[in-house]
Amino acid sequence: MQHDLEAGATRDFLDEVRRFLDAHADRRPEPAAFRWGDGDDRVAYFSADPPDVERAAVDRARAWQRTRYENGFGWITGPAEYGGRGLTAVHDMLYDAVEAEYDVPDTGTLSVVGLGMVGPTILAHGQQHLKDRWLPAMYRGDAIACQLFSEPGAGSDLAGVRTSAVRDGPDWVLNGQKVWTSVAHLSRIGLALTRTDPDAPKHRGITAFLVPMDAPGVEVRPLRQMTGGADFNEVFLTDVRVPDDHRLGEVDGGWTVALTTLMNERATVGNEGVGAVSAALAPDRLAALMRVTGHQDDGALRARLAELLVDLTATAQLNARAVRRLRAGVAPGPEMSVSKLMYAQNLTKAAHFVADVLGQRVIADTGEWGTFAWTELLLATPALRILGGTEEIMKNILAERVLGLPKEPGIDTRSPFRALRHSVVDQGGRS
């Protein structure tokens, strides 16, 4: 009986989703069978659009997010008091699966960092007025948020942040530098980790704040990537005054806030099922590339292609298993870290395989369809092994929490932060 009730509720939800999408969007046409030379051949993970094109895409994304929100689909898992539906992550996935059938704007600029990481962190740790102001604005598409975590002197050691926050009456004064900050140039608020007690051990002297990105002293500089785009930024904080009521969590309790963000971050990386990259990794296209370049009889390359396709299939099955567990009410487990690792490794392996197939054509544009177009993905692969947690960090997590291996030696979690050795980085980012 209970199963029948749940199945009925799911059908009702899916019917509601379809009615909404049918009223506000057109269905995508059925994908045509792949033919070499047809369509756009660009294979890119990051954007390289000029500013005016990027702004237009962001405007479309915000408009579509507002339409979702006003119709009850802007924050399916969120609390009703902030415009959410209070439903489960399974409902969220069901909605995404149906929406993929429709021609709607890509809302990744809003959702990956802001709605996927910062929003849940504000909900869990924000003071009431921050929740009331920012959560509806974010999930309605009015405000974009960024994550001010990484620093040039801390590397993958998030607990090594040195950006300082010093109490001054009702405010805190922030000074420091953040780096690799996605969408900072579009954001109204940023979730910042700061050092508030350098005499405490590294994990215990951190405090989190919600920083208005238009506050005096906040400077955003784009970082030009090898791919030609500038998806990331460095952010300089110079005597930025942030009221104490913009603090998230307790003073010196920012590590707990950071863990909330990171738990949500793991769920945003590791899905190869979308976009031009996914289409380019389809077996028929890779096989066609082998034929066009005259490598269809190359036994070594054929073996590498087979290995790549097996890895892609295995990762897809791992993701499908995670979805099934989530639908059954099981909390996400270590498979998300495995999925993230496989995601980066699969794309890297694919880019290097294609580079070996193409040879010089991957670096010299001959105008031939489906060749030089792979260059952007090849140049993006180093970043894929860093974003969302470096490969080394992911492997440590799996070794310690899944295999039960001892922690990596040499990590000092007891000494005062100021007593630890640090690389020296000036305001220009040079060490």
Side-chain angles (χ1 to χ4, degrees), residues 101-265:
E101 302 172 11
Y102 291 77
D103 185 14
V104 300
D106 181 359
T107 57
T109 301
L110 285 68
S111 60
V112 173
V113 177
L115 308 186
M117 305 180 206
V118 178
T121 304
I122 295 174
L123 178 63
H125 301 284
Q127 300 177 49
Q128 190 60 50
H129 76 97
L130 294 177
K131 298 179 185 179
D132 293 340
R133 178 181 180 185
W134 291 113
L135 291 178
M138 290 171 63
Y139 287 92
R140 191 171 51 238
D142 297 339
I144 297 175
C146 62
Q147 181 179 300
L148 300 168
F149 277 19
S150 298
E151 296 188 4
S156 297
D157 182 12
L158 185 57
V161 296
R162 300 182 67 190
T163 294
S164 65
V166 178
R167 189 70 182 260
D168 184 19
D171 298 336
W172 294 81
V173 180
L174 278 57
N175 282 281
Q177 179 185 353
K178 300 293 182 176
V179 75
W180 313 127
T181 309
S182 301
V183 302
H185 58 300
L186 303 171
S187 297
R188 289 179 60 188
I189 52 173
L191 171 57
L193 290 186
T194 66
R195 179 70 51 186
T196 45
D197 184 1
D199 293 314
K202 63 192 303 182
H203 293 83
R204 300 180 188 172
I206 297 172
T207 303
F209 296 94
L210 206 58
V211 179
M213 295 300 289
D214 60 353
V218 177
E219 181 185 1
V220 179
R221 302 180 189 173
L223 289 170
R224 186 65 57 187
Q225 300 150 216
M226 290 191 296
T227 55
D231 284 14
F232 307 108
N233 304 270
E234 53 185 347
V235 179
F236 294 87
L237 306 171
T238 306
D239 294 329
V240 178
R241 301 189 74 88
V242 178
D244 185 61
D245 65 7
H246 278 51
R247 173 171 42 83
L248 300 181
E250 301 298 326
V251 174
D252 298 333
W255 188 246
T256 300
V257 179
L259 290 179
T260 299
T261 307
L262 295 177
M263 287 293 290
N264 285 283
E265 183 179 40

Side-chain angles (χ1 to χ4, degrees), residues 172-425:
W172 294 81
V173 180
L174 278 57
N175 282 281
Q177 179 185 353
K178 300 293 182 176
V179 75
W180 313 127
T181 309
S182 301
V183 302
H185 58 300
L186 303 171
S187 297
R188 289 179 60 188
I189 52 173
L191 171 57
L193 290 186
T194 66
R195 179 70 51 186
T196 45
D197 184 1
D199 293 314
K202 63 192 303 182
H203 293 83
R204 300 180 188 172
I206 297 172
T207 303
F209 296 94
L210 206 58
V211 179
M213 295 300 289
D214 60 353
V218 177
E219 181 185 1
V220 179
R221 302 180 189 173
L223 289 170
R224 186 65 57 187
Q225 300 150 216
M226 290 191 296
T227 55
D231 284 14
F232 307 108
N233 304 270
E234 53 185 347
V235 179
F236 294 87
L237 306 171
T238 306
D239 294 329
V240 178
R241 301 189 74 88
V242 178
D244 185 61
D245 65 7
H246 278 51
R247 173 171 42 83
L248 300 181
E250 301 298 326
V251 174
D252 298 333
W255 188 246
T256 300
V257 179
L259 290 179
T260 299
T261 307
L262 295 177
M263 287 293 290
N264 285 283
E265 183 179 40
R266 297 291 179 261
T268 67
V269 180
N271 179 13
E272 291 143 310
V274 295
V277 173
S278 175
L281 296 182
D284 53 356
R285 178 161 175 179
L286 293 175
L289 179 64
M290 293 274 284
R291 289 194 300 272
V292 168
T293 55
H295 290 94
Q296 67 268 27
D297 295 324
D298 187 317
L301 286 176
R302 287 167 63 93
R304 286 176 59 188
L305 175 59
E307 181 180 345
L308 171 62
L309 295 178
V310 167
D311 287 344
L312 291 171
T313 301
T315 306
Q317 292 300 315
L318 178 67
N319 289 335
R321 178 177 181 270
V323 170
R324 290 195 299 271
R325 286 170 59 84
L326 192 58
R327 287 177 176 173
V330 179
E335 65 271 10
M336 299 311 298
S337 291
V338 177
S339 180
K340 194 276 172 186
L341 269 176
M342 293 300 298
Y343 177 68
Q345 291 178 6
N346 288 346
L347 293 191
T348 299
K349 185 180 294 185
H352 290 180
F353 166 76
V354 170
D356 288 342
V357 171
L358 291 173
Q360 295 179 347
R361 281 175 287 190
V362 79
I363 58 173
D365 189 359
T366 64
E368 184 180 357
W369 193 93
T371 57
F372 184 73
W374 283 89
T375 303
E376 285 189 66
L377 179 63
L378 179 63
L379 294 177
T381 53
L384 300 180
R385 300 195 296 272
I386 298 172
L387 61 83
T390 66
E391 287 189 352
E392 292 79 7
I393 296 297
M394 292 293 100
K395 289 177 180 178
N396 279 351
I397 290 173
L398 294 172
E400 295 168 10
R401 301 182 187 178
V402 179
L403 302 179
L405 298 177
K407 285 185 174 294
E408 185 174 346
I411 300 177
D412 189 341
T413 59
R414 297 184 179 182
S415 299
F417 180 77
R418 70 166 72 248
L420 302 178
R421 297 181 62 184
H422 307 286
S423 61
V424 178
V425 180

Side-chain angles (χ1 to χ4, degrees), residues 63-83:
W64 177 241
Q65 181 63 24
R66 189 174 303 114
T67 299
R68 285 175 178 160
Y69 185 87
E70 291 172 349
N71 288 273
F73 298 102
W75 194 8
I76 291 172
T77 61
E81 59 263 39
Y82 305 118

